[in-house]
Amino acid sequence: MAAGIWFKGDLRLTDNPAVTAALGERADELPVHALYLAAAGQWQRHDWAPIKVDLLWRHLECFRQNAAERGVLLHIVVIDTWKEAPRAVLQFCQQYDIDALHFNREYPVDEQRRDRAVAAWLAEHDISCQGYHGLLLVPPVLEPSTENAYYQKFTPFNRAWREHLTLSGIPAPEAMPKLDCRSQLPDMPECPHERRDSSAWQVGEDAAQQQLQTFIDEQVACYHEDRDNPALDNTSRLSPYWELGILSPVTAARKLQQLSPDFPHGLNKGADTWLTELAWREFYQHLMHHIPRLSYKKAFKQHTDDFPWRDSDEDFERWCEGRTGYPIVDAGMRQLAAEGWMHNRLRMIVANFLVKDLRLDWRRGEQFFMQHLIDGSFPANNGGWQWSASTGTDAVPYFRVFNPTRQSEKIDPDGSYIRKWVSELKDCPTKCIHAPESWLRTQPDNDYPAPMVDHSEAREKFLAAFKQL
Ligand code: FAD
């Protein structure tokens, strides 16, 4: 009998507890067989973007080769939804004589349910199943000392999270065996889902780790100053790699540790700010783990589910297409359409605009983001939308309504980000770029639209409706 691995959103060998356990358990019985379930119907149901699927598939092609050089033979099995997972996993275990299966846990409800169903089904067939918390630096088991079973506010969560890191430390990297079994690799199936070219993003663990190293060496020290300037584009752009599990946050923490022996304390301002962003990522996973209703399109603040959202497909389309007449909003939406990625500050601005200026339901924006983002992550996306809509835990207060023009002046003072993405405004002088109406009156052939709403009026209407709740 043998040990096996079930890969999910943890498609790496480095800092992967399920891999370490499976290889360690039967070190003399290589190769280890591993499974990945390509659940196209589930991806559809969860609105996976074609560009994210393309990145996944390109990575799988590369990863299975690299894994096979390390004694891990990856089998990719196409199924429809998670309902088929227990049968598919059992069949895999029986085919390769596996009596102990190792995997990392995922936290949204469907995935938790899938893992329980698989474990129960395997147990009936005398196959043991061991789950690990391999997706996060700190497992979502942090419990505050009050009667609440989980942290509802980021600040105390962040404190406890760092405390946990201080006590637990960062595990040392595991040595991987060398055994080239590429000749035994099964054929790669056809991708069962629509794809959109993601070749601007590299694939493979080595490439992701190199990108992390370059960011730590060259950018992280200035992160606290540069991160809100979208034209500088100085954030790590690692989000798609965490989402597919190509990179582990443990690997990132180990690199930060090299900057400060007292890690997580003693980091320079930039690195410390960046570590806090990793904590936000884990906070939203923590909430998913503890609050099932978040997985059912419900607001964290339940009374906000009664908000009288407007129902205008036309306005929604204009937002999606980046034709709102607010240049900074349109630039963000056009970056998303072109790259499948958007700078964090822009995500906040366009989300705020959809919800508070247009009064359209945040769930429409959440879904559109998932359908287009290469890093679409249910916990981070849901958390980001509920934060922006003031419906989430620890969200921005409802009365804080971003003024898109002021935001634009602040984060893109010379308009270079706007000019990059809104071609109609490429010749617009800087003094008009944030509110180009007067300049447009001198450009009769320019069809860039006038603002679709008056921000001050929209703000008042939103505040009045929210107060009614
Ligand atoms: P960096 O600035 O380098 O940050 C490092 C890492 O920290 C990121 O890769 C990410 O994993 C994490 N992180 C940073 N900011 C946040 C945040 N606010 N919340 C949670 N994690 C964070 N992030 C996603 O990964 N997937 C999403 O689908 C997603 N949707 C979002 C939707 C909205 C409305 C908002 C406001 C934010 C969303 N975010 C999402 C968070 C954030 O915008 C992205 O993680 C970030 O822009 C990715 O760029 P980066 O890798 O260069 O980040």
Side-chain angles (χ1 to χ4, degrees):
M1 299 301 272
I5 306 166
W6 176 19
F7 282 106
K8 306 159 176 172
D10 58 344
L11 288 164
R12 62 174 184 274
L13 298 180
T14 315
D15 291 320
N16 185 326
V19 172
T20 306
L23 290 177
E25 194 167 289
R26 318 271 167 91
D28 47 339
E29 291 174 26
L30 296 176
V32 163
H33 290 273
L35 173 68
Y36 181 79
L37 294 177
Q42 201 70 43
W43 298 344
Q44 194 75 33
R45 205 182 276 186
H46 289 175
D47 293 311
W48 277 34
I51 192 167
K52 175 175 161 183
V53 173
D54 191 60
L55 185 77
L56 164 72
W57 215 255
R58 287 173 51 234
H59 176 68
L60 279 171
E61 278 169 12
C62 169
F63 176 60
R64 67 190 204 113
Q65 298 283 343
N66 293 343
E69 290 173 35
R70 299 286 178 181
V72 176
L73 264 183
L74 179 60
H75 304 260
I76 299 164
V77 173
V78 174
I79 60 171
D80 184 23
T81 66
W82 294 146
K83 276 199 183 133
E84 294 171 28
R87 185 191 50 76
V89 177
L90 177 65
Q91 198 176 13
F92 162 76
C93 291
Q94 288 176 334
Q95 192 169 353
Y96 298 104
D97 266 346
I98 290 165
D99 65 348
L101 187 74
H102 301 269
F103 64 84
N104 292 308
R105 299 175 199 280
E106 294 179 324
Y107 307 110
V109 160
D110 283 349
E111 284 66 26
Q112 290 195 35
R113 197 177 284 153
R114 169 202 63 194
D115 291 354
R116 280 197 298 273
V118 167
W121 188 234
L122 293 192
E124 278 187 32
H125 294 81
D126 292 328
I127 300 170
S128 78
C129 222
Q130 184 61 49
Y132 305 87
H133 292 290
L135 270 55
L136 304 175
L137 268 167
V138 176
V141 292
L142 286 176
E143 287 181 15
S145 48
T146 63
E147 68 278 10
N148 292 325
Y150 57 90
Y151 283 98
Q152 305 197 13
K153 295 275 179 199
F154 178 71
T155 305
F157 171 84
N158 187 25
R159 211 178 297 126
W161 185 81
R162 284 172 184 245
E163 184 65 28
H164 191 284
L165 280 182
T166 310
L167 296 175
S168 64
I170 305 299
E174 300 283 339
M176 292 294 299
K178 268 199 178 150
L179 174 81
D180 193 344
C181 51
R182 280 178 294 176
S183 59
Q184 299 173 52
L185 262 180
D187 289 341
M188 176 104 182
E190 284 290 308
C191 178
H193 192 280
E194 181 195 350
R195 299 168 67 169
R196 180 188 149 196
D197 180 27
S198 66
S199 56
W201 300 79
Q202 297 193 68
V203 290
E205 280 186 74
D206 289 350
Q209 288 183 25
Q210 187 52 54
Q211 187 172 321
L212 168 68
Q213 188 65 57
T214 307
F215 175 74
I216 300 279
D217 291 343
E218 297 173 13
Q219 290 158 289
V220 81
C222 301
Y223 179 76
H224 60 302
E225 287 166 350
D226 295 347
R227 69 185 175 132
D228 276 341
N229 184 330
L232 287 181
D233 206 7
N234 239 0
T235 63
S236 69
R237 282 194 178 240
L238 289 169
S239 47
Y241 302 120
W242 316 117
E243 172 53 20
L244 295 178
I246 300 172
L247 197 58
S248 164
V250 173
T251 314
R254 203 178 296 115
K255 303 257 182 234
L256 291 177
Q257 198 173 30
Q258 289 164 5
L259 302 180
S260 165
D262 290 338
F263 178 86
H265 310 285
L267 291 166
N268 62 50
K269 191 90 196 305
D272 193 69
T273 309
W274 194 65
L275 181 66
T276 302
E277 296 306 325
L278 296 186
W280 271 106
R281 171 177 178 268
E282 305 219 348
F283 180 54
Y284 288 137
Q285 300 258 359
H286 170 92
L287 295 179
M288 277 291 146
H289 176 77
H290 290 285
I291 317 176
R293 73 171 183 280
L294 296 180
S295 296
Y296 297 115
K297 298 189 183 295
K298 296 281 180 212
F300 176 82
K301 290 184 187 151
Q302 298 190 53
H303 69 287
T304 63
D305 277 333
D306 295 332
F307 188 88
W309 301 109
R310 287 173 63 241
D311 185 19
S312 167
D313 290 345
E314 198 187 324
D315 285 0
F316 182 64
E317 290 297 313
R318 283 188 67 169
W319 177 83
C320 295
E321 289 165 5
R323 292 191 52 77
T324 66
Y326 281 94
I328 196 72
V329 174
D330 295 340
M333 294 308 291
R334 293 185 198 188
Q335 179 180 26
L336 176 61
E339 289 195 341
W341 190 85
M342 197 197 291
H343 188 279
N344 179 56
R345 181 53 46 181
L346 270 301
R347 294 187 204 206
M348 288 157 72
I349 293 173
V350 304
N352 191 95
F353 185 83
L354 182 84
V355 172
K356 295 185 177 172
D357 285 75
L358 301 184
R359 272 181 294 127
L360 295 176
D361 193 332
W362 58 270
R363 281 159 277 238
R364 296 185 80 168
E366 180 197 17
Q367 183 182 37
F368 185 80
F369 265 32
M370 279 306 284
Q371 287 166 341
H372 292 84
L373 279 172
I374 192 164
D375 65 10
S377 149
F378 182 55
N381 193 41
N382 183 274
W385 274 94
Q386 295 222 39
W387 184 90
S388 305
S390 305
T391 63
T393 164
D394 219 6
V396 66
Y398 77 91
F399 48 81
R400 197 164 159 233
V401 178
F402 283 10
N403 178 325
T405 313
R406 296 290 94 76
Q407 287 287 322
S408 184
E409 289 161 355
K410 200 163 130 197
I411 67 163
D412 189 28
D414 66 0
S416 43
Y417 176 77
I418 292 175
R419 283 193 199 87
K420 175 168 180 187
W421 295 108
V422 184
S423 58
E424 300 96 306
L425 301 179
K426 69 178 186 317
D427 299 321
C428 181
T430 301
K431 65 178 185 342
C432 302
I433 192 93
H434 308 289
E437 296 82 86
S438 58
W439 178 73
L440 285 167
R441 278 196 286 276
T442 67
Q443 312 285 315
D445 296 335
N446 192 323
D447 68 351
Y448 186 72
M452 63 188 286
V453 284
D454 176 277
H455 171 69
S456 307
E457 276 174 24
R459 177 178 183 278
E460 290 313 317
K461 285 184 185 156
F462 175 79
L463 293 181
F466 211 100
K467 271 187 209 146
Q468 295 287 320
L469 285 176

